[in-house]
Amino acid sequence: MLKVENVSISYGKIAAVKDVSIYVGKNEIVAIVGANGAGKTTLINTIMGFVTPQEGKIFVQDHEITSLPPWKKAAFGLAIVPEGGRIFRDLTVKENLFLGAYRIKDKSKIDNKMNEVFQMFPRMRERYRQIAGTLSGGERQMLAIARALMSFPQILLIDEISMGLMPKLVDEVMEAIHSLKSKDVTVLIAEQNTNEVLNIADRAYVMQNGLIVMSGTATELKNNSKIKESYLGI
Amino acid sequence: MEFWQNSINVLVLGSIYVLIAVGLSMIYGILRVLHIAHAGIYTLGAFLSLSIMEVTGNFWIALILSAIISGFLGALMYRYVYKFVLKEERIVPLIVSVGLFITMQDLYRIIYGPYKYPFSISIPIPYIRAGNFYISPLQMLILIITGIILIGLYFVLNKTRIGVGLKACANDSQMAAAVGVNTKLTIALAFFMGSALAAVAGTLVGVYDNSVYPTMGSTVSYKAFVVVVLGGFGSLKGSVIAGFLLAAAEVFLVAWKGFFLPRDAIGFLVMILFLIFLPNGLFGRKER
């Protein structure tokens, strides 16, 4: 579904991502874990097209999309829930959701999706006419996910969704992401909260200083002594 | 009676301010660039209308063609000038913009000479008069055109995909691109619309004052800046309200006999006070 081949990205002289290759299969949830500054966000942003890689290639279902601008990547079914949510703060919740469905022309499809999203996040229905900037931190994250879902994504990129959320909300959000599996959405999720994300992921890659240093199924990694020590704090 | 007469003057003057400032504010809202050369487009609009009018003899064709050509030129300015300096520090696009404005003004001087050209038209609008109160056909023309444009703009911004895309770009252009908005096209479109409005304003002022000249944009460039500061950078609603407020301040203060400053000083005085006490303007929000 999504393939990243030997991608390297540097900002000036600083290499943020070095020769990274990853693969995400259809309907899989794949996690990228690692410490702050490991290059996770850069990798996610590169896949979405916010950053252009100096080397390497990115494919979606065998179409090369490496240096396409984000709006063209969106047409390949990519959507992003970026770090901090980055909702459109001056617009209403309604406008944010409609912007998520910007490419969808069929009104009834949008309405159906909207109902689906409301079932997942009933809070969004209550806040429908509110300016998004006035939402609480948790609600903003929910809106960011809801906005991404409105585009009927095939591949959802999620970056540090648990950041700044209280533990109870983290569980809720992770549960929501897990439920996407049954809805035909493929997920690549970058997350510092290793413990939580390994509970919902099928596989994971471990990033350190821009390199992939380890990979495997979530269960394997959870039982790996090195991971336990450095990331799970057990 | 004098009050009502002055109110009409406020509406007319305010309309012009609004037409210019809305485009400036729209461009600032999306690119965070203070587009000084906007006033150059304003002058261009007036000259284009004048020239097209001479050829075709039809004011409406002149107005519309001038707006369209100026709009394209504005979009080209983004595509071939600003786009290359947007990633630099914010002072760089500002200096580029000032340079563009001076170049344009000098170009007009080279082409048209340092003269004032009369621009008179006859329009089939009756003179409205009731006692001492009157609205001239030209005033009526300005009010009607501005009214139509503002309603149209409101519709485009709030009811169309283009409008939603524009608002999204102004909020977070990268994220707008991620949901599928073609941001390059949208920004070019903002320049097109803003520049077309400036050209309409230039034409209307040229006709109203019955004169078109190369430096007619000089005061305007600063006035538009005042309006945008008052309204809050990037807020279109703010620009509209501030445009009329500034016009009201100017008209009523000048009409008041005890006021000793020249008219153009009022705007700057107000701007300085705003920058000190309310730097985000009436409707602006804090810059991140």
Side-chain angles (χ1 to χ4, degrees):
Chain A
M1 195 77 184
L2 172 70
K3 210 160 61 182
V4 173
E5 277 182 10
N6 309 103
V7 159
S8 298
I9 307 128
S10 44
Y11 299 113
K13 279 186 178 163
I14 302 155
V17 170
K18 303 165 194 160
D19 196 28
V20 161
S21 300
I22 63 170
Y23 170 79
V24 185
K26 193 163 167 50
N27 293 357
E28 260 193 317
I29 296 180
V30 173
I32 306 170
V33 297
N36 199 4
K40 305 188 299 292
T41 294
T42 303
L43 183 59
I44 294 275
N45 285 348
T46 307
I47 297 172
M48 192 64 234
F50 293 167
V51 182
T52 312
Q54 277 86 13
E55 278 171 59
K57 286 177 176 170
I58 302 166
F59 298 89
V60 168
Q61 288 176 326
D62 298 328
H63 298 283
E64 198 196 324
I65 59 155
T66 313
S67 350
L68 293 181
W71 65 85
K72 286 194 179 156
K73 291 191 174 184
F76 279 96
L78 279 176
I80 188 168
V81 180
E83 192 175 339
R86 286 173 71 175
I87 49 164
F88 301 111
R89 334 188 301 168
D90 295 342
L91 306 186
T92 60
V93 169
K94 176 186 171 186
E95 286 172 313
N96 268 274
L97 293 174
F98 272 101
L99 269 160
Y102 188 78
R103 288 177 318 101
I104 315 292
K105 303 257 156 61
D106 184 344
K107 187 87 179 45
S108 63
K109 263 178 99 179
I110 296 178
D111 288 344
N112 288 340
K113 197 53 148 187
M114 193 82 85
N115 279 326
E116 200 182 297
V117 162
F118 284 156
Q119 267 170 18
M120 222 167 152
F121 305 111
R123 199 72 68 80
M124 292 300 108
R125 195 200 298 269
E126 293 162 27
R127 301 275 187 254
Y128 196 56
R129 303 207 174 271
Q130 207 168 310
I131 298 287
T134 63
L135 297 179
S136 72
E139 288 167 343
R140 288 182 194 204
Q141 295 285 42
M142 285 177 200
L143 179 57
I145 301 175
R147 178 183 62 188
L149 292 178
M150 286 303 294
S151 70
F152 293 78
Q154 295 185 348
I155 303 169
L156 186 57
L157 308 169
I158 304 176
D159 193 11
E160 301 292 0
I161 190 81
S162 73
M163 201 150 74
L165 292 186
M166 23 183 225
K168 191 174 156 268
L169 268 177
V170 173
D171 287 343
E172 242 174 71
V173 165
M174 289 292 171
E175 194 47 51
I177 294 168
H178 189 64
S179 73
L180 294 175
K181 243 176 123 65
S182 58
K183 291 180 177 138
D184 233 16
V185 182
T186 304
V187 177
L188 178 65
I189 176 169
E191 185 59 62
Q192 270 189 70
N193 193 336
T194 312
N195 199 10
E196 287 283 350
V197 80
L198 286 184
N199 282 334
I200 62 159
D202 298 303
R203 291 186 298 116
Y205 294 90
V206 182
M207 263 187 110
Q208 208 173 53
N209 297 326
L211 290 165
I212 301 276
V213 290
M214 208 185 293
S215 66
T217 65
T219 330
E220 277 168 20
L221 289 176
K222 256 194 275 186
N223 295 322
N224 182 298
S225 57
K226 257 195 187 159
I227 298 283
K228 272 186 181 171
E229 199 180 312
S230 346
Y231 298 106
L232 298 176
I234 302 172
Chain B
M1 217 58 205
E2 200 189 351
F3 174 79
W4 293 110
Q5 190 57 55
N6 279 334
S7 299
I8 291 296
N9 294 342
V10 167
L11 285 180
V12 172
L13 186 62
S15 293
I16 299 295
Y17 290 162
V18 168
L19 285 182
I20 304 163
V22 159
L24 194 65
S25 189
M26 193 162 16
I27 289 165
Y28 184 86
I30 290 191
L31 290 187
R32 302 288 186 269
V33 166
L34 194 55
H35 180 41
I36 300 287
H38 197 57
I41 300 269
Y42 160 94
T43 312
L44 176 79
F47 272 117
L48 278 176
S49 290
L50 183 65
S51 306
I52 299 170
M53 173 91 179
E54 269 169 15
V55 178
T56 63
N58 185 318
F59 174 69
W60 298 106
I61 293 178
L63 181 73
I64 290 167
L65 268 185
S66 151
I68 292 174
I69 298 171
S70 305
F72 270 113
L73 206 92
L76 289 179
M77 244 181 216
Y78 159 66
R79 177 68 183 76
Y80 291 104
V81 184
Y82 286 125
K83 204 167 155 261
F84 300 104
V85 291
L86 284 177
K87 285 196 176 134
E88 309 293 329
E89 285 199 42
R90 284 170 64 162
I91 187 83
V92 178
L94 179 64
I95 293 171
V96 166
S97 187
V98 172
L100 269 176
F101 179 47
I102 296 173
T103 310
M104 287 170 90
Q105 247 182 11
D106 283 344
L107 262 179
Y108 304 145
R109 222 191 311 251
I110 291 169
I111 297 170
Y112 292 97
Y115 314 112
K116 289 196 171 185
Y117 290 80
F119 191 174
S120 63
I121 57 167
S122 62
I123 33 173
I125 299 178
Y127 212 93
I128 298 168
R129 182 192 284 274
N132 286 329
F133 171 81
Y134 67 91
I135 305 175
S136 76
L138 283 177
Q139 288 181 320
M140 205 59 197
L141 177 82
I142 291 174
L143 294 180
I144 291 172
I145 291 179
T146 308
I148 293 173
I149 286 177
L150 287 185
I151 292 169
L153 199 65
Y154 179 84
F155 178 79
V156 169
L157 287 178
N158 291 296
K159 306 285 174 203
T160 65
R161 267 165 64 87
I162 294 170
V164 185
L166 265 169
K167 286 203 274 185
C169 275
N171 249 240
D172 183 339
S173 64
Q174 207 173 46
M175 209 42 232
V179 297
V181 179
N182 183 336
T183 44
K184 263 189 210 160
L185 191 69
T186 306
I187 295 170
L189 210 70
F191 267 89
F192 179 90
M193 295 200 306
S195 303
L197 293 189
V200 170
T203 305
L204 292 179
V205 169
V207 170
Y208 191 62
D209 294 345
N210 194 15
S211 85
V212 174
Y213 52 100
T215 54
M216 66 187 275
S218 292
T219 332
V220 165
S221 65
Y222 302 112
K223 277 286 178 65
F225 181 53
V226 171
V227 172
V228 172
V229 168
L230 298 192
F233 275 102
S235 164
L236 298 190
K237 184 174 75 179
S239 292
V240 173
I241 292 170
F244 286 111
L245 277 183
L246 177 64
E250 287 186 355
V251 169
F252 284 110
L253 279 177
V254 170
W256 177 49
K257 298 205 170 46
F259 196 75
F260 56 92
L261 285 173
R263 193 177 91 170
D264 289 339
I266 297 167
F268 298 106
L269 210 64
V270 177
M271 179 175 77
I272 291 167
L273 290 175
F274 261 73
L275 285 175
I276 295 172
F277 297 108
L278 200 62
N280 295 317
L282 294 170
F283 294 94
R285 63 142 201 254
K286 277 200 180 102
E287 284 292 313
R288 274 159 292 181

